[in-house]
Amino acid sequence: MKKVGSLLLAVLMVLSLAACGKTPAEPTQTPSTQPSTETPTTEATEPAPAYAIDTLTVGTTAAIETAVFGEYNFDMLASGVSELPLVYQDTKGEYHPLLATYATEDAATWTYTIQDGMTWSDGAPVTAEDILFTLQYDQANGSANFEAQTGEDGKVTEAKYTGYSLSDDKMSISLTLASPNVRELSNMTSFRVMPKHIYEGKDTVSEAEGRITCGPYVLESFNKEAGTITFAVNEYYPQKPNVEKIVYQLFGNEDTMYLALQQGDIDMVWAYSTGVAGTYQDVLSTDTNVSLVNVAAANAPAVLAFNNAKGLFSDENLRQAVSYALNYEEFKTYFGSAYAEIPNRGFVPSTTVGYTDTEKLTTDTAKADEYMKAAGYTEKNADGFYVNADGAAAAFTLTVNAAKETHVGYAEMIKTQLEAFGIQVNLDAVDKDAYNAKTSNKFSENNITMEAAIYGYTAAGMGMGNGLGSIYVDGNHAVQGGCQVFDEAFSSILDELKAAKTIEEYYTGAAKLQDYYAAHMPLIALYWDNMMLAYSSKLDNVTVDAVFGLNNVNNWFSITKK
């Protein structure tokens, strides 16, 4: 593993974002002032180009198989070009209209109004009926939007909404939540609308129908063999972007992707809710062909999550022992950027809405030993591992997605550190499908089997539901719930967050949840970090989004070439 050195100063990021459907505001980043060496020409002899940039190429390591609506990795990518979410969040954490404007008086009923001129790529207008249809479609496919859902194990997921109403012109929908949520807009940064006129009354749709979208671009082609996804301008979109075509180049690994950026073969790199790994930042920061922008992150890039319900870590003493046995300085140094920090026991980074200070994570092997003894592991065997009264060694299996090289690195470091302390770790590096089947309620059909696992939590995921990463901890969550926490004290705090009618009430509950994390350690953040984003130094006026980074709709209206 490489140790990260100091970085050059990152370029200024743009904080001024524009609402989609309106002419984007001019970015605050200062354009290049270098004089042109070209001979001036008149408009009569050389007309201005139709677009500021003909083609912009984005490199990504996202694995995309079908490039149609409903494929997770593609949806995350397409959210920046064609599958428009309702709102977006800027890097200050503030929300703005994108597909729709929004309003609420009580944090319980939220009204969304489609922005003027929004049109599907087949020419049909986008309406609020499309929002309603999407919610009903998801309801029919397992989501508890308007009716509670009962899983095969009898677990009930209560309905999110108690009702709705449509305006007479069908351009606004008011959705009433089962309980007020002052942070409901965080859920709408990744809510993508389906065209009712395409899906209604059909069991399946054609590939072409599945690619009818409402953003400034529409998918032109997907060449799986070449690893390219090409988007062309949606001629029905109410505004004209600066870029005529956006091509996504799919890479099998980060090494070749960053080399392509340095050589000028691609214009920027992107991974959903992930920045440039610290191991690559030193090289890129010294390359004049590459510009870096540093973004305060709301994600949790490196998480050790425990199964709190069964297995070794159902004993809180052992979770506490691990929390004091790990060396966080090493994680920060070897995996983080120059901006990386040692996390708090309260888990969530300081950019989180409702953040409060809790104790910093520390390495204290004497404390860890006390917790091992409290768990009944009072001695060590000949191999140096703690054993209980029956002579059984303290051992667990750590599950990790083998396709994520950095995550495997986290797992290997955890194994090294904990085995040096006296806890045996068996690594279980599996493919994506097997990983999901062991670590997620949805994909395991509510039968999570991992004892502990390495996760990376996205900014959007950290903010969903009650926020503060709670969907990953809550054992009752329909999709996530990896930590399998069913504690009444935890549930009571979630109820308080759900009931908050003001942001001040939410902050009170948020502080209690962080105190709960700090006291019971259902999961551990191995380090906090800012996200470093990389793009070609030939580009100017770049716009950054809090959720989607450089791959965001507003960027294509602000970006220019120097």
Side-chain angles (χ1 to χ4, degrees), residues 151 213 239 282 289 323 329 352 372 406 541 544 557:
T213 48
Q239 275 79 42
D282 280 345
N289 294 321
S323 76
E329 187 66 40
T352 304
M372 293 300 294
T406 306
N541 300 316
V544 179
F557 289 88

Side-chain angles (χ1 to χ4, degrees), residues 98-112:
L98 201 54
L99 180 64
T101 60
Y102 49 85
T104 186
E105 294 181 357
D106 57 5
T109 298
W110 291 80
T111 299
Y112 302 97

Side-chain angles (χ1 to χ4, degrees), residues 288-338:
T288 57
N289 294 321
V290 177
S291 292
L292 297 174
V293 57
N294 177 44
V295 183
N299 67 334
V303 178
L304 170 61
F306 304 110
N307 187 329
N308 289 237
K310 54 188 177 184
L312 190 72
F313 295 113
S314 60
D315 186 336
E316 182 178 313
N317 288 306
L318 291 169
R319 302 197 300 269
Q320 297 286 3
V322 170
S323 76
Y324 286 107
L326 293 174
N327 186 329
Y328 304 100
E329 187 66 40
E330 288 188 359
F331 284 101
K332 178 176 78 82
T333 301
Y334 284 97
F335 295 107
S337 73

Side-chain angles (χ1 to χ4, degrees), residues 541-558:
N541 300 316
V542 170
T543 296
V544 179
D545 180 280
V547 176
F548 295 105
L550 294 172
N551 184 49
N552 71 86
V553 168
N554 290 290
N555 199 16
W556 319 132
F557 289 88
S558 69

Side-chain angles (χ1 to χ4, degrees), residues 16-349:
S16 176
L17 300 179
C20 183
K22 309 291 183 184
T23 303
E26 184 177 346
T28 56
Q29 183 173 334
T30 305
S32 172
T33 56
Q34 293 183 352
S36 172
T37 57
E38 298 178 1
T39 304
T41 58
T42 65
E43 187 175 347
T45 58
E46 187 174 326
Y51 295 89
I53 300 174
D54 293 333
T55 302
L56 190 144
T57 303
V58 182
T60 181
T61 56
I64 294 174
E65 299 294 328
T66 62
V68 295
F69 184 90
E71 182 186 9
Y72 179 80
N73 284 341
F74 177 72
D75 285 343
M76 295 302 101
L77 180 150
S79 293
V81 280
S82 61
E83 296 180 12
L84 217 59
L86 294 190
V87 303
Y88 73 90
Q89 186 180 20
D90 67 24
T91 51
K92 294 179 180 178
E94 297 174 353
Y95 297 98
H96 306 270
L98 201 54
L99 180 64
T101 60
Y102 49 85
T104 186
E105 294 181 357
D106 57 5
T109 298
W110 291 80
T111 299
Y112 302 97
T113 302
I114 302 299
Q115 296 236 63
D116 292 343
M118 289 299 177
T119 307
W120 295 103
S121 54
D122 64 352
V126 180
T127 73
E129 287 187 310
D130 293 315
I131 296 176
L132 176 59
F133 175 81
T134 304
L135 293 170
Q136 292 172 331
Y137 182 95
D138 289 343
Q139 171 77 47
N141 287 277
S143 296
N145 286 327
F146 298 110
E147 298 175 9
Q149 294 276 3
T150 302
E152 292 181 359
D153 61 351
K155 186 184 296 183
V156 176
T157 302
E158 299 297 334
K160 177 177 180 178
Y161 301 107
T162 61
Y164 67 87
S165 62
L166 287 168
S167 62
D168 291 340
D169 64 359
K170 303 296 190 293
M171 297 306 289
S172 297
I173 185 170
S174 296
L175 295 165
T176 301
L177 297 166
S179 57
N181 185 356
V182 294
R183 298 181 51 267
E184 175 62 9
L185 291 177
S186 68
N187 296 316
M188 294 305 178
T189 60
S190 57
F191 178 75
R192 292 166 296 278
V193 180
M194 303 169 68
K196 176 183 177 181
H197 68 287
I198 295 298
Y199 285 86
E200 189 174 31
K202 298 177 182 177
D203 293 330
T204 60
V205 297
S206 68
E207 186 176 276
E209 289 174 324
R211 290 174 176 168
I212 291 174
T213 48
C214 61
Y217 295 88
V218 61
L219 190 143
E220 182 179 82
S221 65
F222 171 47
N223 188 327
K224 187 175 179 180
E225 289 70 29
T228 58
I229 307 175
T230 302
F231 289 86
V233 168
N234 175 8
E235 298 298 336
Y236 292 104
Y237 198 74
Q239 275 79 42
K240 176 182 171 181
N242 288 359
V243 184
E244 184 173 11
K245 283 194 178 183
I246 300 177
V247 178
Y248 293 85
Q249 181 68 56
L250 308 181
F251 288 88
N253 60 73
E254 292 181 321
D255 288 340
T256 53
M257 180 177 70
Y258 289 123
L259 181 60
L261 178 65
Q262 291 179 282
Q263 293 177 339
D265 296 329
I266 59 177
D267 297 299
M268 62 178 62
V269 296
W270 176 78
Y272 176 52
S273 196
T274 304
V276 177
T279 48
Y280 293 97
Q281 289 179 17
D282 280 345
V283 174
L284 296 181
S285 67
T286 58
D287 191 331
T288 57
N289 294 321
V290 177
S291 292
L292 297 174
V293 57
N294 177 44
V295 183
N299 67 334
V303 178
L304 170 61
F306 304 110
N307 187 329
N308 289 237
K310 54 188 177 184
L312 190 72
F313 295 113
S314 60
D315 186 336
E316 182 178 313
N317 288 306
L318 291 169
R319 302 197 300 269
Q320 297 286 3
V322 170
S323 76
Y324 286 107
L326 293 174
N327 186 329
Y328 304 100
E329 187 66 40
E330 288 188 359
F331 284 101
K332 178 176 78 82
T333 301
Y334 284 97
F335 295 107
S337 73
Y339 300 90
E341 298 179 72
I342 292 176
N344 292 355
R345 294 177 69 84
F347 182 70
V348 300

Side-chain angles (χ1 to χ4, degrees), residues 396-445:
F396 71 96
T397 298
L398 179 58
T399 300
V400 61
N401 185 341
K404 297 186 175 183
E405 295 176 10
T406 306
H407 286 199
V408 174
Y410 302 153
E412 290 172 342
M413 182 171 279
I414 288 171
K415 178 179 173 67
T416 298
Q417 291 182 0
L418 290 186
E419 292 194 339
F421 167 70
I423 298 176
Q424 185 177 1
V425 182
N426 303 306
L427 295 187
D428 181 26
V430 294
D431 64 29
K432 179 186 71 173
D433 292 338
Y435 173 85
N436 288 337
K438 295 186 69 173
T439 61
S440 156
N441 273 336
K442 178 180 178 180
F443 294 102
S444 71
E445 297 181 348

